[in-house]
Amino acid sequence: MLPPIPLKYLLPLVGLSVSAFVFNTSEFMPIGLLTDISASFGMTPAATGIMITVYAWVVGVLSLPLMLATCRMELKRLLLLTMALFALGQAGSGLAVNFPMLMGARILVACAHSIFWSIAAPLATRLVTRSHQPFALSMIATGSSVAMIFGLPLGRVIGLALGWRMTFLVLAITSALALLYLWRVFPSLTNDSSFSTRDLPALMRNPLVSGVFVLSLLFATAYFTTYSYIEPFLGSIAGFAPETITWTLMMLGVCGFLGSVLFSRFYGHHRFLLFRSGLLGLVLALGCFLPAAAQQPAMIACCMLLGVISTLFNVTMQAELIRHCSLSAAPVAMSIFSGIFNVGIGGGTFLGGRLTGSGLLPDIGFVGAAIGACALLFGLVSYLPHARRAR
């Protein structure tokens, strides 16, 4: 049995988990409010969805440059500045009077996102011993999952009751409070990174690191081709009432929490099983999306499986990346991971938007499953053999 984590390190982990909650709530909250945001600006949901695509692509483009520009900054200071930028962007989103202003504020939030997800996992693992690292990573994943359980649906409830702008303002206040908490409890950590741009080619030549990047791109593209338009799918295709959509999204988030628990418990001894299960489960869940829409219980079950898989596979890939990188390379590798994952988010959202705009909303699950099948094939044929040899 592992010894307990000292309170002085557990409290910062809680702060990182709360921060992960607000960051994930912010990124995906427009998915739950897409119809209302588009209506307020006289736009279609497919046209408004470009906001999610641009956000993700900005993160994809800026993750590595921003990480390299700040990689020698003291880590606590970097974390606090990132949270301050995030809160400012949320306030700007809540005060936006037109769509371009909203886009500008979201781009500001995307810059904060680029840095946060580059340092969150490495910071969590630096606070604990190696034996506690799966638990530390699962806490970050838990914050993300709780965002899906309560953040995204709660943001939708606030948006439906008080207007979508109030949801962003509530996030601004919450992130400001998280900033104050981290200022009080987070320890000063020296940034002894010796990584430079000259080390990038060697990092990219590592077949396990590059394999994680390829898998993350395919997984994110497959998942978000479907997930980004899950609200109009559940309403138009599955015939769910608005309240039922909210509860279904909440159940999806609850199952994301289950995915983080499964990771924490089984990754240490069954990492390859989790890896295969994540990819196979993605293809199964997305492939069943349209058939399951005919029956409400089947549709909810399909969304629940999708929630488990999304968190389980994402945190597994982060753990794999940290396992195969040096301490100095981990933040940069994680920034590339975050960037590539968000390129996948943007690509999936763009593809889903084109399908929706072309009247093919019912088929978004099939398209996502086809891309997921490519990820499964790559994982079984290329990544797993390299990972077994490295073990």
Side-chain angles (χ1 to χ4, degrees):
M1 188 174 180
L2 294 177
I5 299 175
L7 187 63
K8 67 177 181 177
Y9 298 126
L10 184 61
L11 290 178
L13 279 176
V14 172
L16 286 175
S17 182
V18 171
S19 300
F21 165 81
V22 294
F23 270 88
N24 257 32
T25 298
S26 169
E27 182 174 14
F28 302 129
M29 187 179 60
I31 294 173
L33 296 171
L34 201 57
T35 302
D36 293 325
I37 294 175
S38 60
S40 69
F41 294 126
M43 302 168 65
T44 65
T48 310
I50 195 66
M51 172 178 60
I52 305 171
T53 301
V54 170
Y55 181 102
W57 282 348
V58 167
V59 174
V61 170
L62 294 182
S63 288
L64 181 59
L66 288 176
M67 192 66 248
L68 290 174
T70 59
C71 66
R72 299 189 184 278
M73 186 180 296
E74 196 272 322
L75 292 173
K76 178 179 179 179
R77 184 180 182 186
L78 177 59
L79 177 62
L80 296 180
L81 287 174
T82 301
M83 292 299 297
L85 182 64
F86 178 81
L88 184 62
Q90 295 300 342
S93 300
L95 297 174
V97 296
N98 53 49
F99 190 69
M101 183 176 175
L102 177 61
M103 282 292 299
R106 293 294 292 168
I107 289 173
L108 193 65
V109 174
C111 292
H113 179 119
S114 302
I115 300 174
F116 178 80
W117 286 113
S118 299
I119 62 176
L123 280 178
T125 55
R126 282 193 61 174
L127 290 170
V128 298
T129 61
R130 184 175 180 83
S131 59
H132 282 109
Q133 285 183 1
F135 173 78
L137 288 172
S138 73
M139 285 195 66
I140 304 297
T142 296
S144 300
S145 300
V146 172
M148 305 292 278
I149 300 169
F150 297 113
L152 194 154
L154 184 59
R156 178 176 164 82
V157 169
I158 295 173
L160 292 177
L162 302 175
W164 60 266
R165 289 179 177 83
M166 184 57 66
T167 307
F168 286 108
L169 293 176
V170 169
L171 267 180
I173 296 171
T174 304
S175 54
L177 293 175
L179 168 64
L180 291 175
Y181 176 84
L182 288 168
W183 173 69
R184 289 291 299 167
V185 305
F186 208 89
S188 295
L189 295 175
T190 57
N191 195 341
D192 53 0
S193 174
S194 58
F195 195 91
S196 70
T197 54
R198 294 188 300 272
D199 300 314
L200 279 174
L203 180 67
M204 298 303 294
R205 284 194 299 268
N206 184 329
L208 291 167
V209 172
S210 59
V212 169
F213 295 156
V214 172
L215 285 166
S216 300
L217 176 63
L218 292 172
F219 183 92
T221 304
Y223 182 83
F224 284 95
T225 295
T226 304
Y227 182 72
S228 295
Y229 291 88
I230 192 171
E231 187 213 12
F233 182 94
L234 292 177
S236 302
I237 309 304
F240 282 22
E243 297 79 10
T244 309
I245 294 175
T246 301
W247 281 105
T248 301
L249 293 176
M250 186 174 292
M251 287 301 299
L252 191 152
V254 169
C255 292
F257 174 73
L258 176 59
S260 69
V261 172
L262 291 173
F263 167 82
S264 178
R265 180 160 184 173
F266 295 111
Y267 178 77
H269 300 290
H270 302 285
R271 51 190 277 248
F272 295 149
L273 175 62
L274 290 184
F275 177 86
R276 290 191 298 268
S277 300
L279 288 174
L280 187 60
L282 176 71
V283 175
L284 178 64
L286 296 182
C288 292
F289 230 63
L290 181 58
Q295 297 290 332
Q296 192 173 98
M299 187 73 253
I300 293 174
C302 192
C303 291
M304 290 170 66
L305 175 60
L306 200 61
V308 173
I309 295 304
S310 65
T311 301
L312 177 64
F313 190 78
N314 194 340
V315 72
T316 298
M317 286 295 93
Q318 292 184 53
E320 289 288 295
L321 192 59
I322 290 175
R323 173 185 288 266
H324 301 306
C325 287
S326 66
L327 182 64
S328 62
V332 175
M334 195 60 67
S335 75
I336 299 173
F337 170 87
S338 175
I340 289 175
F341 195 87
N342 276 274
V343 168
I345 293 175
T349 304
F350 180 82
L351 180 57
R354 301 290 72 75
L355 292 169
T356 301
S358 302
L360 298 175
L361 179 62
D363 298 319
I364 56 175
F366 292 141
V367 176
I371 301 171
C374 295
L376 176 62
L377 181 63
F378 177 83
L380 296 179
V381 173
S382 178
Y383 184 82
L384 276 182
H386 280 108
R388 288 196 178 98
R389 283 195 294 270
R391 184 178 62 174

